[in-house]
Amino acid sequence: MASKERAKQGLREMTRRAVRSQIAEAAMALFAKRGFEATTVDEIAAEVGISSRSVFRYFPTKEDMVVGHLDEIGDKLAAALEERPTDEAPWVALRHAMQPHLDDLIENADAMLATALMLSEAPALRGALLSKRARWTELLVPNVMRRLKGSAQVREVQARAVVSAALACLNTAVDEWARSDGTKSVEKLLDQAISAVRS
């Protein structure tokens, strides 16, 4: 009986993810065509063939259709950092932890470029973007703290500074990569940004 219930829940979750993905894809296509602010939730719902009310069951806000995937990126960054050797220096560990995200950007360049440009150009998305990036910081700080020496209070301040600077480097690199329409190497841009901060 329990295994049947688990199977049902698994199927429901798969269906939910598929619908979420379909809504997000339709939304991004409309945002790219008409602009984020000019596109309504009603138009997105019509494109998918569901009601606006149903859309809000999958995405609490229109902004989440663009930035919702950033939670997953933060989780992946934290998991990648967790896998790094504990004796690795914070900057080295963070740079390695960012590599899978860079690989995803390159592999899905068209979709990622469109999203990155939208995030940098739509004022309405800035608050949601800052909120998601603040969550990344909270996810990464504990692991970086473990790599530092000193009292817990000092290590926390240092870890927050390092993580904030490292994420600023990542954001700068991705923004510049998007502005170049993917012609510049996002990896080189990240390494240049890190070098500038650390020199």
Side-chain angles (χ1 to χ4, degrees):
M1 195 73 166
S3 63
K4 278 187 181 178
E5 188 55 36
R6 276 196 302 273
K8 267 188 189 174
Q9 287 175 352
L11 185 58
R12 275 197 296 268
E13 183 56 28
M14 282 172 58
T15 303
R16 179 175 174 75
R17 284 184 190 166
V19 174
R20 247 182 89 87
S21 178
Q22 189 179 6
I23 293 168
E25 283 176 24
M28 289 303 290
L30 287 171
F31 295 155
K33 187 175 171 183
R34 301 179 186 169
F36 176 78
E37 313 225 2
T39 304
T40 67
V41 173
D42 286 340
E43 290 169 333
I44 295 163
E47 191 74 20
V48 180
I50 60 176
S51 69
S52 299
R53 195 172 179 175
S54 293
V55 169
F56 286 121
R57 280 205 290 268
Y58 293 93
F59 292 96
T61 67
K62 188 169 81 166
E63 288 78 6
D64 275 324
M65 295 175 202
V66 181
V67 301
H69 74 289
L70 295 180
D71 281 339
E72 186 181 336
I73 293 171
D75 292 338
K76 286 180 178 178
L77 281 170
L81 184 60
E82 194 68 42
E83 289 174 8
R84 301 305 306 167
T86 54
D87 60 349
E88 201 167 52
W91 276 100
V92 174
L94 283 164
R95 174 60 183 88
H96 283 295
M98 290 174 182
Q99 189 59 48
H101 176 51
L102 300 184
D103 294 341
D104 284 345
L105 288 174
I106 294 161
E107 191 176 329
N108 304 295
D110 289 345
M112 294 296 196
L113 282 167
T115 302
L117 284 170
M118 194 176 306
L119 288 170
S120 67
E121 291 172 359
L125 291 170
R126 288 194 189 126
L129 178 60
L130 288 172
S131 172
K132 298 293 183 184
R133 287 178 174 170
R135 181 177 174 273
W136 291 9
T137 300
E138 297 308 315
L139 288 171
L140 299 175
V141 162
N143 189 291
V144 172
M145 272 185 73
R146 288 194 288 273
R147 298 168 187 276
L148 299 168
K149 292 180 179 158
S151 70
Q153 189 175 15
V154 168
R155 284 186 295 120
E156 182 171 1
V157 170
Q158 290 174 337
R160 286 190 178 280
V162 170
V163 169
S164 296
L167 290 177
C169 290
L170 178 61
N171 297 335
T172 299
V174 172
D175 288 348
E176 183 60 28
W177 174 71
R179 277 193 291 273
S180 79
D181 199 29
T183 59
K184 293 183 180 178
S185 163
V186 70
E187 294 171 323
K188 283 184 184 173
L189 289 166
L190 176 57
D191 290 334
Q192 287 167 2
I194 290 173
S195 178
V197 168
R198 297 194 68 193
S199 62

